[in-house]
Amino acid sequence: MSDTAWLEDATIYTLDVKTFYDSDGDGWGDFQGLIEKLEYVDDLGVDCLWIRPFYPSPLRDNGYDVADYYAVDDRLGTLEDFREFTDRAHDRGIRVLTDLVFNHTSIDHEWFQTARRNPESKYRDYYLWAGDVETAYNTFNIFPEHEDGVWSYDEVADAHYFHQFFHHQPDLNVRNPEVREEFHDILRFWLRQGADGFRIDAAHPMLMPKGHDGGTLAEPIELFKQMKRVVSEEQSDAILLAEADDQPELLPYYFGDGEAFDLQFNFVMNAHLTYAIGVGDTWPLHRAHEIVPDVDGIGKWANFLRNHDEWNLLKLPEEAFHHAREAFGEDAGDSWIFERGHRLRLAEIYDNDLDRVAMAHSLLLSLPDVPVLLAGDEIGMGSDPSLREREAVRTPMQWDDSEYAGFSTSEPGDVHNPVIDEGEYSYERVNVADQLNDPGSLLSRVGELVDARSQCPEIVDGIYSVVDVDRDDVWLHRYDHGDNLLVCGHNFADEPREVACAFGPPEDVSTSIVGDGDYRVEGGDLTFELDGCDYLWIRADKWGKRAPEPGEVLALSR
Ligand code: NOJ
């Protein structure tokens, strides 16, 4: 078994330290606060944390604009706090992934400051410059609402520098071997502080043509293979997770035949899965199954319902993309950003229908691959549209109904982002404390589902298949695992549905693992009886109608 095998059955939870829990009352969440809340995370059942950037940063892009790769923003704590946090997490068997942003730095980074001032310095070639942008390579900017293009003029350097994201995020020149050495040193450094792996931000833009000549690396994937070798040599169980929102057919490339990324976000699945549940129709999910490449043996997908950015819909077919733009969000349209997605949280996408949110989690957690949960979604938090672009979905965690949501004791003016204190998503209505001991709460249901997943080795080791059903609002899938069969049913409709599968175990050897739905077995056929938004996972330890032939997977349906 490889040392990175822990990933196979991991459930990841992502949070931002500065909005999670403030231990010292300065309005900023911090590592000591996170340590205090590890019990919560542990109780939820997750076993891996991906923490978003916490390095010194001017926070023009929420920390994805790094000013120093080797330190902790002092509002969030110290390096010692970070080490203590990883130790305490490890004590609980929780691994820690940190976020590394190698496509670009902040303009405040010392490398850039030196580069712009001193053309002779080695740092000049850490970035990409052009004297004349008319003749230089050109491409689109990833934040089209904010930036006119990919070149910005710097007065001090008297030259233009290249940036695919905001103008304050100059791209690093990945063709420069010294830059790649810097990456390696940074990776080693954080492993030595206790990290267990890294989410590599903007992996796709890292490989894109760059600079005045629009050049790329001769063998682009070598960049990540090299990083993986460095990481594995330092710590054999450390992993790399790619944020590569590329075209589906190009995604397997990032796994480098098993020698680059271990894990990759599945943006294609995200758009389709969350949309399918939102429109109550399974066709987008079927489509995702058709277009997501099979990467068995070379890497794994990380599936998610929402992340901390906009809900990017570009991977939907055109008609659905336009439909999703109109169908979700307020009529005012102010949730729509970057010409591609909504800055809404999961509960809002589903109109605060918590049964639907729970069902979405059930589906996520019962699908193969690695699930990633976004902090706050497990209690049904909403967004604050008055905040600047994606900051809307990055408000502090709502712990209880005391002032400032139990997140901080600070004066409101001092905080990074304010808590949501009005409307249906206010902390008085949506908070951890209220849900913690309520078995029917969203939080309890999500916890139960995380737990159910950990009790189902079928999901990790079984053979997955989608069960054909004669309804387009019910999704059934199954795992064949030795003599076991795990079948999971999800009703996307608001009304009750009955769906029969032409296979099934004798009733007395089947058990329901999780979910309020019901089932019956008649004549060896299994029928799911699901109320609106119900889900149900069933395990059977014996074959029903007939035993499979050797090597055969029974995937029958009416
Ligand atoms: C992806 C991050 O998730 C996003 O928040 C950030 O703006 C871009 N990468 C640029 O770093």
Side-chain angles (χ1 to χ4, degrees):
M1 198 155 115
S2 90
D3 289 354
T4 55
W6 62 267
L7 195 55
E8 305 278 318
D9 60 356
T11 297
I12 301 178
Y13 183 80
T14 175
L15 60 90
D16 186 346
V17 178
K18 62 183 173 295
T19 52
F20 203 58
Y21 183 60
D22 170 17
S23 71
D24 58 6
D26 66 354
W28 292 72
D30 45 48
F31 278 104
Q32 285 301 328
L34 178 52
I35 292 169
E36 281 182 48
K37 293 298 182 185
L38 274 176
E39 188 177 355
Y40 168 79
V41 169
D42 200 4
D43 287 351
L44 188 60
V46 299
D47 46 21
C48 182
L49 295 179
W50 147 36
I51 53 170
R52 303 206 289 278
F54 50 79
Y55 319 98
S57 160
L59 297 183
R60 298 181 189 107
D61 184 16
N62 193 37
Y64 286 95
D65 46 334
V66 177
D68 179 356
Y69 288 104
Y70 290 100
V72 172
D73 182 318
D74 53 17
R75 293 165 291 199
L76 276 52
T78 62
L79 211 45
E80 213 181 337
D81 292 334
F82 177 84
R83 283 194 295 265
E84 188 185 340
F85 152 65
T86 56
D87 284 348
R88 295 292 79 78
H90 294 158
D91 290 347
R92 292 175 180 272
I94 297 174
R95 308 210 187 219
V96 176
L97 308 181
T98 69
D99 215 321
L100 280 174
V101 191
F102 286 153
N103 179 68
H104 46 267
T105 66
S106 162
I107 47 171
D108 293 12
H109 196 290
E110 199 189 304
W111 297 342
F112 187 76
Q113 289 302 321
T114 312
R116 67 198 286 245
R117 276 192 224 109
N118 182 358
E120 303 309 320
S121 121
K122 71 166 188 171
Y123 296 113
R124 186 72 158 204
D125 196 36
Y126 274 33
Y127 298 90
L128 301 136
W129 304 92
D132 176 9
V133 285
E134 295 302 314
T135 56
Y137 166 74
N138 213 343
T139 184
F140 67 92
N141 189 285
I142 296 170
F143 294 133
E145 262 168 36
H146 298 270
E147 301 292 341
D148 287 340
V150 288
W151 290 104
S152 284
Y153 179 69
D154 181 69
E155 277 181 5
V156 177
D158 187 23
H160 294 81
Y161 60 91
F162 183 82
H163 57 91
Q164 295 177 81
F165 291 94
F166 289 114
H167 66 277
H168 54 74
Q169 291 166 314
D171 273 43
L172 283 162
N173 178 9
V174 296
R175 279 193 288 171
N176 180 342
E178 284 186 272
V179 168
R180 298 200 298 271
E181 273 309 315
E182 298 277 8
F183 295 163
H184 302 161
D185 289 346
I186 295 164
L187 291 165
R188 286 189 200 99
F189 175 81
W190 286 104
L191 289 173
R192 288 172 194 165
Q193 308 307 312
D196 299 293
F198 305 97
R199 169 194 183 270
I200 303 297
D201 185 65
H204 175 208
M206 282 180 82
L207 301 190
M208 293 301 281
K210 288 176 188 239
H212 66 98
D213 63 347
T216 55
L217 286 154
E219 267 199 82
I221 196 63
E222 255 314 299
L223 176 69
F224 299 127
K225 285 189 178 175
Q226 230 180 351
M227 283 172 37
K228 176 65 187 172
R229 283 196 292 273
V230 166
V231 160
S232 305
E233 274 162 28
E234 181 70 30
Q235 188 176 314
S236 61
D237 62 353
I239 64 110
L240 292 182
L241 159 61
E243 193 231 359
D245 191 359
D246 209 337
Q247 292 311 314
E249 61 281 12
L250 302 177
L251 296 174
Y253 183 73
Y254 293 84
F255 292 118
D257 293 322
E259 292 175 17
F261 285 103
D262 301 274
L263 188 64
Q264 191 177 156
F265 286 114
N266 194 341
F267 284 94
V268 180
M269 180 57 90
N270 166 250
H272 289 80
L273 171 63
T274 304
Y275 179 67
I277 297 170
V279 293
D281 195 316
T282 57
W283 74 259
L285 198 47
H286 284 289
R287 180 175 192 265
H289 278 65
E290 278 159 29
I291 63 176
V292 171
D294 180 3
V295 294
D296 207 26
I298 57 168
K300 283 191 87 65
W301 299 115
N303 285 329
F304 57 104
L305 295 162
R306 271 298 278 121
N307 67 10
H308 61 288
D309 290 329
E310 74 283 6
W311 177 35
N312 186 332
L313 297 163
L314 285 175
K315 295 294 181 295
L316 292 178
E318 202 177 335
E319 207 178 311
F321 174 85
H322 293 299
H323 175 254
R325 175 185 179 143
E326 298 302 324
F328 301 94
E330 297 300 319
D331 293 343
D334 63 358
S335 69
W336 185 254
I337 57 169
F338 302 155
E339 300 166 14
R340 58 179 178 249
H342 287 290
R343 48 187 204 135
L344 292 173
R345 293 199 60 141
L346 189 67
E348 296 169 292
I349 293 172
Y350 300 151
D351 276 337
N352 211 8
D353 176 350
L354 298 185
D355 288 336
R356 193 163 288 275
V357 177
M359 190 259 290
H361 280 90
S362 170
L363 192 45
L364 176 76
L365 286 155
S366 65
L367 284 174
D369 303 306
V370 178
V372 184
L373 311 180
L374 175 67
D377 278 357
E378 75 276 25
I379 55 168
M381 278 176 56
S383 65
D384 178 348
S386 72
L387 298 180
R388 180 171 63 91
E389 38 121 325
R390 294 160 299 165
E391 293 305 310
V393 299
R394 299 167 181 167
T395 57
M397 188 70 179
Q398 297 174 188
W399 293 104
D400 60 40
D401 64 1
S402 68
E403 207 186 356
Y404 233 67
F407 159 71
S408 174
T409 52
S410 148
E411 291 298 313
D414 301 338
V415 298
H416 168 60
N417 275 340
V419 295
I420 296 179
D421 58 4
E422 54 187 39
E424 56 184 330
Y425 299 101
S426 76
Y427 64 81
E428 281 158 347
R429 295 194 190 184
V430 178
N431 65 63
V432 171
D434 281 354
Q435 297 191 27
L436 212 45
N437 298 313
D438 170 1
S441 70
L442 181 61
L443 176 59
S444 300
R445 295 176 74 183
V446 172
E448 199 177 52
L449 286 160
V450 174
D451 188 45
R453 182 182 174 94
S454 69
Q455 289 172 32
C456 291
E458 295 92 339
I459 300 178
V460 175
D461 301 326
I463 301 169
Y464 169 79
S465 57
V466 179
V467 180
D468 268 345
V469 291
D470 56 7
R471 296 212 61 99
D472 54 16
D473 46 16
V474 175
W475 178 267
L476 292 192
H477 62 263
R478 63 184 271 176
Y479 294 91
D480 291 79
H481 186 243
D483 287 338
N484 265 0
L485 176 67
L486 181 75
V487 196
C488 306
H490 293 85
N491 179 9
F492 289 19
D494 286 324
E495 301 77 30
R497 295 285 183 254
E498 276 204 6
V499 175
C501 335
F503 63 85
E507 192 154 21
D508 55 351
V509 292
S510 56
T511 45
S512 142
I513 312 257
V514 69
D516 285 341
D518 237 324
Y519 71 99
R520 61 177 191 271
V521 183
E522 283 166 352
D525 287 359
L526 172 67
T527 300
F528 278 83
E529 303 167 349
L530 304 170
D531 280 343
C533 287
D534 258 1
Y535 50 87
L536 182 66
W537 308 7
I538 299 170
R539 172 180 292 132
D541 57 9
K542 233 193 215 167
W543 292 102
K545 255 183 174 169
R546 66 180 178 85
E549 300 297 327
E552 181 193 14
V553 176
L554 284 178
L556 309 174
S557 71
R558 282 189 200 287

